[in-house]
Amino acid sequence: MEYTRLGTSGLKISRISLGCMSFGDPAKRMSWTLDDEGAEPIFRQAIELGVTFWDTANIYGLGTSEEIVGRALRKYTRRDDIVLATKVFQPMHQGPGGSGLSRKAIMEQVDASLRRLDTDYIDLYQIHRFDPETPVEETMEALHDVVKAGKARYIGASSMWAWQFAAMQHRAEIHGWTKFVSMQDQYSLIHREEEREMFGLLADQGVGSIPWSPLAAGRVARPWGERSSRRSETNPDVDFHGRPLFLDSDKAIVDAVQRIAEARGVPMAQVAMAWVLKNPVVSAPIVGATKPHHLADAVAALDVRLTDEEIRSLEEPYVPRMPTYF
């Protein structure tokens, strides 16, 4: 395992992050998630591989992911050995503090996450999206107060337009409040819009990218058209705005991944992950593991060095598209 600082902050993280959306009560929201028993070998493998950066959210499994992660922390490792991240924004209940980024919601939800995780502090507390209904100053001051109260060590953000992220950072700076150290954005060989939308800003601000879906829901980890997991079988083709997640032109990208992987004698996932890892603004891709080889391939990708010719063959077929899921 390799370790790095999250952006230019002092926080040291593993270069692969364990995505815990894969864990939760299957009866809550996502039928393919793993319960405590199913998640146990994944947590044990993560510790053996040195994957010490774990990412969850209050919405995953409607709180049950956080509960499973909290039990895993107690059972398989020491709290201080893990960099623990969770998120706030998505609707947890109908009350005024049940969703969004108001002061009421942030204060209510951070305490609820701490109870479910059974911990005194969160290492990285992230807003799960931009909230257009709440003044930016209200959100940033509330997050600052969460940090000053010792409930979180750092704060981060997730998928939004660059101008929204810049506005939030600017408000924090002029008021002397805590600034974001991370941006969790969608980034893979077939979702590259952050290269033109967000990455320049992150580099300028010293903010680390924590890409979600670095394998595009597995599309770049297996031959085109093949679906080999319960999640891939149920994954939609459009986001909640109706924007397409995949284009027919993406087949050329997947075919290039397959050719390179076969020539190197490695799984396709290693090639696709190596491409994500090579970007200097990327701190740690998030791997939502449900099978042992998912984490193993991600860690092995740290040793894959793509040639300039391989990179060109992977990047040339890309067709610009609208960002999705925000």
Side-chain angles (χ1 to χ4, degrees):
M1 177 52 59
E2 297 175 5
Y3 298 87
T4 188
R5 293 165 62 200
L6 182 53
T8 55
S9 76
L11 182 61
K12 295 288 184 67
I13 59 171
S14 55
R15 286 225 65 202
I16 300 297
S17 172
L18 175 64
C20 299
M21 188 171 75
S22 303
F23 313 135
D25 183 344
K28 302 288 184 66
R29 298 187 77 239
M30 298 172 181
S31 62
W32 48 264
T33 53
L34 305 177
D35 59 13
D36 289 82
E37 183 178 357
E40 177 176 351
I42 304 297
F43 283 117
R44 290 188 181 278
Q45 183 187 36
I47 293 165
E48 291 169 1
L49 292 172
V51 178
T52 55
F53 183 24
W54 297 0
D55 175 80
T56 186
N58 61 351
I59 191 62
Y60 297 164
L62 289 176
T64 59
S65 173
E66 288 182 326
E67 291 170 352
I68 289 173
V69 170
R71 289 190 287 269
L73 282 171
R74 296 192 303 275
K75 189 173 182 180
Y76 309 124
T77 186
R78 295 190 321 128
R79 172 66 185 90
D80 291 344
D81 291 338
I82 299 299
V83 174
L84 181 61
T86 193
K87 310 180 194 75
V88 59
F89 171 73
Q90 307 291 353
M92 295 297 289
H93 62 77
Q94 294 297 317
S99 63
L101 299 177
S102 67
R103 169 173 285 273
K104 179 173 178 60
I106 287 172
M107 295 305 178
E108 176 182 319
Q109 293 303 318
V110 71
D111 286 343
S113 287
L114 289 169
R115 286 193 298 271
R116 287 189 292 264
L117 290 163
D118 193 19
T119 185
D120 295 329
Y121 68 98
I122 296 158
D123 292 292
L124 180 65
Y125 197 49
Q126 304 158 101
I127 59 171
H128 213 158
R129 290 297 184 271
F130 182 82
D131 183 359
E133 298 181 354
T134 301
V136 167
E137 288 84 358
E138 179 177 340
T139 295
M140 296 310 292
E141 185 176 20
L143 290 170
H144 176 71
D145 290 345
V146 166
V147 173
K148 291 306 174 184
K151 296 179 180 182
R153 302 294 189 251
Y154 300 85
I155 59 172
S158 184
S159 297
M160 63 183 67
W161 297 109
W163 73 262
Q164 294 170 328
F165 185 68
M168 301 188 87
Q169 290 286 73
H170 179 63
R171 298 303 201 286
E173 185 170 2
I174 63 176
H175 289 288
W177 297 330
T178 305
K179 295 173 68 176
F180 296 122
V181 300
S182 64
M183 165 55 68
Q184 191 170 135
D185 33 24
Q186 186 179 28
Y187 186 56
S188 69
L189 273 165
I190 59 179
H191 289 284
R192 293 174 51 194
E193 294 311 302
E194 293 295 70
E195 292 175 2
R196 71 182 98 243
E197 175 65 24
M198 185 66 74
F199 280 2
L201 176 60
L202 300 187
D204 177 73
Q205 296 278 308
V207 173
S209 170
I210 312 171
W212 58 268
S213 198
L215 300 181
R219 289 294 181 104
V220 294
R222 60 183 70 93
W224 184 256
E226 181 181 307
R227 300 194 180 194
S228 60
S229 69
R230 289 176 61 193
R231 182 180 180 184
S232 65
E233 290 170 357
T234 59
N235 201 68
D237 291 323
V238 297
D239 73 356
F240 41 64
H241 295 298
R243 298 171 183 163
L245 300 176
F246 312 105
L247 304 178
D248 291 341
S249 57
D250 295 337
K251 180 180 185 301
I253 300 171
V254 176
D255 289 347
V257 176
Q258 186 176 1
R259 287 195 303 272
I260 293 169
E262 289 175 351
R264 285 175 168 263
V266 300
M268 291 174 63
Q270 291 186 25
V271 173
M273 187 68 74
W275 180 87
V276 172
L277 285 160
K278 76 175 181 59
N279 193 303
V281 80
V282 169
S283 295
I286 298 170
V287 179
T290 55
K291 298 179 181 178
H293 69 84
H294 292 159
L295 272 183
D297 283 343
V299 173
L302 291 166
D303 294 324
V304 176
R305 299 291 181 267
L306 299 172
T307 67
D308 290 343
E309 182 179 353
E310 289 171 332
I311 291 170
R312 279 194 299 272
S313 70
L314 291 168
E315 295 182 351
E316 284 178 352
Y318 183 76
V319 174
R321 65 204 68 198
M322 284 293 291
T324 54
Y325 284 120
F326 70 89

